[in-house]
């Protein structure tokens, strides 16, 4: 199972959370960024529907596969 960690950092004159090198929008306080990260982490754990997805590979071929709606990552927030 995948594991996703949200980290609270100073960013762009305020505070943000970051996941895998991607920053959220800035928040005016550390507490606001922490609350937003906790909400995002909780939402990411919610199961969805199992659906067929289609995508193009790097070599230009189209693939179809079933994405399981219950295949959600474990999440944590480091404040």
């Amino acid at each position: 199972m995948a594991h996703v960690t949200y980290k609270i950092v100073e960013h762009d004159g305020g505070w943000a959370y970051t996941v895998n090198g991607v920053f959220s929008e800035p928040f005016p306080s550390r507490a606001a960024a922490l609350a937003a990260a906790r909400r995002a982490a909780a939402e990411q754990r919610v199961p969805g529907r199992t659906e067929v997805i289609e995508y193009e590979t790097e070599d230009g071929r189209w693939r179809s596969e079933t994405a399981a709606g219950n295949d959600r990552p474990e999440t944590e927030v480091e404040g």
Side-chain angles (χ1 to χ4, degrees):
M1 175 177 285
H3 185 88
V4 179
T5 302
Y6 291 74
K7 296 180 182 179
I8 308 304
V9 297
E10 289 186 69
H11 178 66
D12 202 20
W15 293 85
Y17 62 84
T18 182
V19 178
N20 295 330
V22 178
F23 291 90
S24 70
E25 68 275 16
F27 294 90
S29 68
R30 185 181 177 286
L34 182 59
R38 287 179 176 154
R39 280 191 306 274
E43 289 173 7
Q44 194 166 14
R45 291 188 302 264
V46 175
R49 297 187 325 225
T50 296
E51 297 189 26
V52 175
I53 60 172
E54 293 183 355
Y55 61 93
E56 187 175 5
T57 62
E58 289 183 11
D59 64 0
R61 296 180 185 201
W62 282 91
R63 294 200 48 170
S64 294
E65 62 185 53
T66 301
N70 62 350
D71 184 19
R72 306 307 304 154
E74 293 177 1
T75 62
E76 71 175 310
V77 178
E78 292 181 357

